[in-house]
Amino acid sequence: QSDKKIDLTPLKKAGVPIFFIMGGPGSGKGTQCEKIVAKYGLSHLSSGDLLRDEVKSGSSRGAELTKIMEAGQLVPLTVVLDLIKEAMLKEVAKGSKGFLIDGYPREVAQGDQFEAEIMPAKLAVFFEVSEETLVKRLLKRAETSGRADDNMDTIKLRLKTFNEATAPVVAHYEKKGKLARIKAEGTVEEIFSEVVKHFDKAIKA
């Protein structure tokens, strides 16, 4: 582990808004994030993508991550946070107007650490979908994806895992008055019109 401090001054000076994006498998948050990026000029950072890119990059840190993942262990929170910080600094240098941090925080401690070390998020946006809709969507995807994890039992298990992990995080931001709960049912446009209401308000604030 390198202990070099990442200088976050440019990021803090930029003072751009940060949004945590949460939603279960099949909640359609990927599609909504694309639309948010297009409308507001925000940068979309997915912790999963950042980890995968780091592994692919062939860096020594990437090699360490591969070892951890191959051993079936979870990547340390600090490493994920460093990758996010570095990506945010790159984007701010390019003139980013703010951030969508996707698939993060997975747990309350992660969100608190992020906000303590970087800056508070404006909102945690939670795309909430009924189990029935999610199962329908994922089974539909299974018809074409051929993914082994797209069957009824696995879907229900993934949902249960997701809900148990996310419930405390959702409750945490709700208590702080920083949760935007968006019913992710209906068409992409219907959902996006809800998203816009929250983002317009948060960005002006």
Side-chain angles (χ1 to χ4, degrees), residues 8-77:
L8 295 176
T9 314
L11 181 56
K12 292 184 173 171
K13 273 213 179 104
V16 293
I18 295 168
F19 299 92
F20 290 143
I21 305 289
M22 298 182 294
S27 63
K29 69 181 163 80
T31 308
Q32 294 298 324
C33 283
E34 279 169 31
K35 293 180 76 69
I36 296 166
V37 167
K39 182 169 169 68
Y40 297 100
L42 305 178
S43 307
H44 180 203
L45 300 178
S46 146
S47 51
D49 288 349
L50 292 174
L51 281 171
R52 283 186 283 276
D53 291 346
E54 186 64 29
V55 166
K56 272 196 235 132
S57 73
S59 67
S60 61
R61 180 167 59 183
E64 272 178 51
L65 292 176
T66 306
K67 262 193 240 147
I68 294 170
M69 291 194 263
E70 280 175 354
Q73 291 168 330
L74 283 178
V75 173
L77 293 188

Side-chain angles (χ1 to χ4, degrees), residues 6-143:
I6 299 169
D7 180 14
L8 295 176
T9 314
L11 181 56
K12 292 184 173 171
K13 273 213 179 104
V16 293
I18 295 168
F19 299 92
F20 290 143
I21 305 289
M22 298 182 294
S27 63
K29 69 181 163 80
T31 308
Q32 294 298 324
C33 283
E34 279 169 31
K35 293 180 76 69
I36 296 166
V37 167
K39 182 169 169 68
Y40 297 100
L42 305 178
S43 307
H44 180 203
L45 300 178
S46 146
S47 51
D49 288 349
L50 292 174
L51 281 171
R52 283 186 283 276
D53 291 346
E54 186 64 29
V55 166
K56 272 196 235 132
S57 73
S59 67
S60 61
R61 180 167 59 183
E64 272 178 51
L65 292 176
T66 306
K67 262 193 240 147
I68 294 170
M69 291 194 263
E70 280 175 354
Q73 291 168 330
L74 283 178
V75 173
L77 293 188
T78 47
V79 177
V80 180
L81 198 56
D82 279 354
L83 291 173
I84 291 175
K85 286 176 186 171
E86 288 163 20
M88 289 176 87
L89 286 166
K90 268 189 211 136
E91 291 294 322
V92 157
K94 288 189 223 159
S96 171
K97 295 195 179 115
F99 293 94
L100 304 177
I101 311 286
D102 187 355
Y104 190 96
R106 293 259 162 113
E107 48 194 76
V108 171
Q110 250 181 351
D112 287 347
Q113 189 185 4
F114 179 105
E115 294 192 299
E117 290 186 28
I118 300 174
M119 53 183 153
K122 279 256 186 204
L123 273 184
V125 182
F126 178 48
F127 289 100
E128 190 173 40
V129 187
S130 72
E131 180 164 329
E132 200 184 351
T133 303
L134 274 184
V135 170
K136 250 195 275 192
R137 283 183 192 168
L138 291 170
L139 286 176
K140 194 158 179 46
R141 189 178 78 184
E143 290 167 16

Side-chain angles (χ1 to χ4, degrees), residues 25 106 154-168:
R106 293 259 162 113
T154 317
I155 288 168
K156 290 217 148 135
L157 191 64
R158 279 167 67 200
L159 273 181
K160 187 171 178 285
T161 308
F162 174 78
N163 288 331
E164 282 169 2
T166 317

